[in-house]
Amino acid sequence: MHGKRLFWQLYLAYLAITLLGLAVLVLCTWALLAEFGEGLVPKEQLGRIARDAQLRVGAAAVVVALLTAGVGLLLCRRIARPFEELRSGAERFSRGELSFRVPPAELPEARAISRALNNLADTVIERSHTLDSERNQRDAILASMVEGVLAVDANQRLISLNRAGAALLGIDRARAPGRSLQEVVRNAELQELLTKVLDGEQTQLAEITLHRKEDCILEAHGTVLRAAGGQKLGALAVLHNVTQLRRLERVRRDFVANVSHELKTPVTSIKGFVETLLDGAMDSPEDATRFLQIVAAQTDRLAMIIEDLLTLSRMEQEAEQEAILLEPSTIRHVLDAAVAVCQTKAENKEIRLAIDCDPDLLGMVNPLLLEQAVVNLVDNAVKYSPAQATIELIARKHDADIAIEVRDHGCGISREHLARIFERFYRVDKARSRSLGGTGLGLAIVKHIAQAHGGRATVESTPGKGSTFTIHVRAA
């Protein structure tokens, strides 16, 4: 439409100028003929001669006008076509059709413009590819980060959120951008952190707790989000999941407190009875003998705790250095050896130890370590089982693993204790555990032995019905 308008404007302008020139020429010719004819011919012939000359000039003017109109039509079309192609090409570029190229025009001026448009398209394509590459790299970096990255504008509307951030906050990443932070993340601590950043333009650090089925603790670093020119765009928060770290810190604190308490109890007892002996109890042979027996028992208990701690430390070091040797061994041989160790204590309570295991079942194990783990489980089962009960040792192959179960019918364990039962010095009933002579490290040793075999230790229990502890190892 615009090209036709340009063509007709050029063409009409050309015709107007041509016709105006012809009109002036005809009028001048008529005037000259009239003036020239006066005095040369009789007056009665002058009108006829002038009319004949005017008709001829008029006819010649019409012919010239038609020829000029045809030539003008061709010239205007030739001039308008390149500019129409330029306009069409510019429109296609504006629609994003950057692969299109404007054909070179015949006119030098139009040819220069077409070349400039094509160069502009090449530049836009190159810069678009650069921007796409940079955006893809940025998105790949953000998507690969284990830390959550959250960006909001000055009105606390989400600008960007990476995959880890969406997973940590438990929100739908696709629907988050453009929505307000209060609408997407219902956490007052995070909102307060970003508000402080937007108000004070200072880096903020806070620890945020997300209350879920299991609490998630996040360490949030907030800072001002700025553009390349330095203008303030909003706020940026980087989220680190420190739940496991805080849990390990708690376990470490509990371990230090527990080991101090466990060591303090026998040491205090030994110190007290020694002081009693020194204060005169040695003069009574009966009291001296009784006190020394107590001191010896507490010394044995102290030695057991230290030995279990050394065992755990040694196993952790060997596991880190991959120094634990695993070899194909029969599981039945390991179970028989564990039963032989615990048989005397079981017979004292009239408890029967029953083994259910295929004699040919092979596992990739360290026989001595696995025997120690089974002994710990059987020893616990004997302690907490009533007299004349039966403890079952069952080994079954499941796909590429072997499950070794120690099943008792004792008092059982409440559900709230199951998650922490394998922690060091964790006791369900502290008074009863100490009275039965446990160190509080037996199940922790079982867990580490299972992990050293590339497996795990699990427990299932029902209060009043008994417990089943399972060691999972790899089959040979």
Side-chain angles (χ1 to χ4, degrees), residues 12 16 30 41 83 86 91 103 116 137 140 173 176 188 193 215-216 361 455:
L12 291 176
W30 284 353
V41 294
F83 289 100
L86 292 175
E91 288 184 349
Q137 290 177 3
R173 180 168 173 254
L193 172 77
D215 287 349
C216 179
L361 183 61

Side-chain angles (χ1 to χ4, degrees), residues 123-380:
T123 302
V124 171
I125 290 175
E126 181 179 355
R127 295 195 176 179
S128 177
H129 288 166
T130 302
L131 291 175
D132 289 342
S133 177
E134 292 177 353
R135 182 172 59 252
N136 292 336
Q137 290 177 3
R138 182 197 63 201
D139 292 343
I141 292 172
L142 290 175
S144 302
M145 291 177 65
V146 296
E147 296 86 1
V149 179
L150 172 76
V152 297
D153 61 14
N155 297 320
Q156 292 199 13
R157 291 190 174 275
L158 281 169
I159 300 174
S160 177
L161 178 67
N162 71 342
R163 189 178 305 156
L168 288 174
L169 298 173
I171 59 180
D172 186 356
R173 180 168 173 254
R175 301 176 58 187
R179 300 171 65 185
S180 66
L181 183 66
Q182 294 81 359
E183 181 184 0
V184 177
V185 183
R186 301 183 182 277
N187 186 279
E189 296 170 323
L190 181 58
Q191 295 171 13
E192 183 181 358
L193 172 77
L194 293 175
T195 300
K196 288 181 179 179
V197 172
L198 292 172
D199 292 342
E201 299 189 3
Q202 295 179 354
T203 300
Q204 299 288 332
L205 176 63
E207 198 164 273
I208 298 169
T209 301
L210 302 178
H211 299 286
R212 302 172 182 169
K213 185 177 181 181
E214 292 185 2
D215 287 349
C216 179
I217 303 174
L218 303 179
E219 188 177 72
H221 295 259
T223 187
V224 177
L225 181 65
R226 297 187 182 278
Q231 62 269 30
K232 183 177 177 181
L233 298 179
L236 179 73
V238 179
L239 309 175
H240 303 263
N241 189 348
V242 295
T243 306
Q244 185 65 17
L245 180 61
R246 297 294 179 263
R247 185 178 293 118
L248 292 175
E249 290 177 353
R250 176 180 57 79
V251 171
R252 178 186 59 80
R253 289 194 301 267
D254 292 348
F255 172 74
V256 172
N258 288 331
V259 74
S260 300
H261 182 74
E262 293 292 338
L263 293 176
K264 183 180 179 180
T265 301
V267 169
T268 301
S269 179
I270 291 171
K271 185 175 183 294
F273 284 109
V274 169
E275 289 176 349
T276 302
L277 289 170
L278 293 175
D279 288 341
M282 293 181 62
D283 297 335
S284 172
E286 294 181 357
D287 290 341
T289 300
R290 183 164 58 88
F291 291 161
L292 288 174
Q293 288 175 345
I294 294 174
V295 169
Q298 294 298 326
T299 303
D300 290 341
R301 174 175 172 76
L302 190 61
M304 288 171 57
I305 294 174
I306 294 173
E307 180 62 28
D308 284 349
L309 287 173
L310 291 175
T311 299
L312 280 172
S313 178
R314 183 174 63 252
M315 288 179 54
E316 288 177 344
Q317 292 178 359
E318 291 177 349
E320 290 177 357
Q321 300 171 1
E322 298 182 354
I324 297 177
L325 178 63
L326 304 180
E327 58 185 14
S329 302
T330 56
I331 302 300
R332 179 59 185 257
H333 176 74
V334 174
L335 299 183
D336 288 337
V339 167
V341 173
C342 301
Q343 189 67 48
T344 301
K345 185 179 290 188
E347 289 176 352
N348 292 336
K349 293 183 66 174
E350 299 181 0
I351 292 177
R352 186 172 72 92
L353 303 178
I355 299 176
D356 182 6
C357 176
D358 185 349
D360 297 325
L361 183 61
L362 290 176
M364 289 298 297
V365 300
N366 184 300
L368 294 178
L369 285 179
L370 185 59
E371 178 187 335
Q372 182 180 359
V374 176
V375 166
N376 288 354
L377 293 180
V378 174
D379 184 68
N380 275 354

Side-chain angles (χ1 to χ4, degrees), residues 385-420:
S385 293
Q388 299 181 347
T390 298
I391 297 174
E392 302 168 80
L393 286 77
I394 305 170
R396 293 283 188 273
K397 183 177 180 181
H398 301 283
D399 298 329
D401 293 337
I402 294 175
I404 303 172
E405 298 179 359
V406 176
R407 184 179 302 169
D408 65 59
H409 303 279
C411 57
I413 304 170
S414 300
R415 180 180 296 274
E416 63 267 19
H417 298 293
L418 295 180
R420 301 186 60 188

Side-chain angles (χ1 to χ4, degrees), residues 73-139:
L73 181 66
L74 296 177
L75 290 175
C76 290
R77 184 172 297 172
R78 181 181 179 188
I79 294 173
R81 184 183 297 113
F83 289 100
E84 165 63 15
E85 292 176 348
L86 292 175
R87 182 201 58 78
S88 176
E91 288 184 349
R92 296 184 68 170
F93 289 155
S94 67
R95 292 195 298 267
E97 300 178 26
L98 299 177
S99 59
F100 174 76
R101 288 295 173 269
V102 179
E106 296 180 3
L107 295 176
E109 294 80 3
R111 190 183 306 118
I113 296 175
S114 65
R115 188 183 303 114
L117 285 175
N118 292 334
N119 291 338
L120 177 62
D122 292 335
T123 302
V124 171
I125 290 175
E126 181 179 355
R127 295 195 176 179
S128 177
H129 288 166
T130 302
L131 291 175
D132 289 342
S133 177
E134 292 177 353
R135 182 172 59 252
N136 292 336
Q137 290 177 3
R138 182 197 63 201
D139 292 343

